[in-house]
Amino acid sequence: MRNISDTCKKLIVIIIAIGLLSLIIGLIFSNEKLAFVKGVSFGTIFSVLRIILTDRSINKTVNQNRGNAQVWALLNFLVRYCLIGVVFIVAALEPSISLLGTFIGVLTMPLSAYVYKLVEKFKKSEV
């Protein structure tokens, strides 16, 4: 984790916090609690992996010339979204993993970006 940016580390913490909050709320409303826990955990772990892959892709893209950077960024984008498809296929085919829980876990990444931006904006307004 030493090669990961500070922003990425903060996003990972927020992803895990949102995942835990989703677990707590979901356990109250879910009928199949174990499947829901597996789904949210699966999706959240994948979101952490995806944010790390995004961070590494950005770092590598910045250090390349323009033509190579565009190809590299596009390929990494496609790989990350294919991985999302694989995650949902696995969750759909495995009956012990909740598809809804997986969906919620995968959504922790974009939600963490919004939360991070709000926290940064709040910190600037305090100063």
Side-chain angles (χ1 to χ4, degrees):
M1 291 209 33
R2 64 178 182 257
N3 295 332
I4 298 174
S5 69
D6 290 336
T7 303
C8 185
K9 289 176 185 176
K10 290 175 186 176
L11 285 170
I12 290 170
V13 170
I14 296 170
I15 287 170
I16 293 170
I18 293 171
L20 289 173
L21 183 65
S22 301
L23 273 175
I24 292 167
I25 294 170
L27 285 174
I28 295 169
F29 297 108
S30 177
N31 292 334
E32 297 181 22
K33 295 184 185 329
L34 183 59
F36 187 80
V37 169
K38 286 181 181 180
V40 172
S41 300
F42 186 49
T44 302
I45 291 168
F46 175 72
S47 289
V48 170
L49 172 67
R50 201 168 67 155
I51 198 73
I52 292 170
L53 289 174
T54 302
D55 184 59
R56 289 189 179 170
S57 173
I58 290 169
N59 290 335
K60 190 161 183 171
T61 302
V62 169
N63 296 325
Q64 294 181 355
N65 64 35
R66 184 177 178 147
N68 290 343
Q70 286 178 334
V71 171
W72 177 259
L74 179 64
L75 288 175
N76 275 283
F77 174 80
L78 291 173
V79 166
R80 286 192 308 270
Y81 279 91
C82 286
L83 287 174
I84 290 174
V86 170
V87 165
F88 283 126
I89 290 170
V90 169
L93 295 177
E94 178 57 44
S96 69
I97 299 175
S98 167
L99 189 58
L100 176 63
T102 303
F103 178 73
I104 291 169
V106 167
L107 281 182
T108 58
M109 182 183 162
L111 288 174
S112 71
Y114 288 119
V115 170
Y116 177 78
K117 190 66 175 170
L118 285 173
V119 169
E120 291 296 311
K121 190 175 183 180
F122 182 72
K123 283 182 182 179
K124 286 183 181 180
S125 68
E126 279 186 350
V127 174

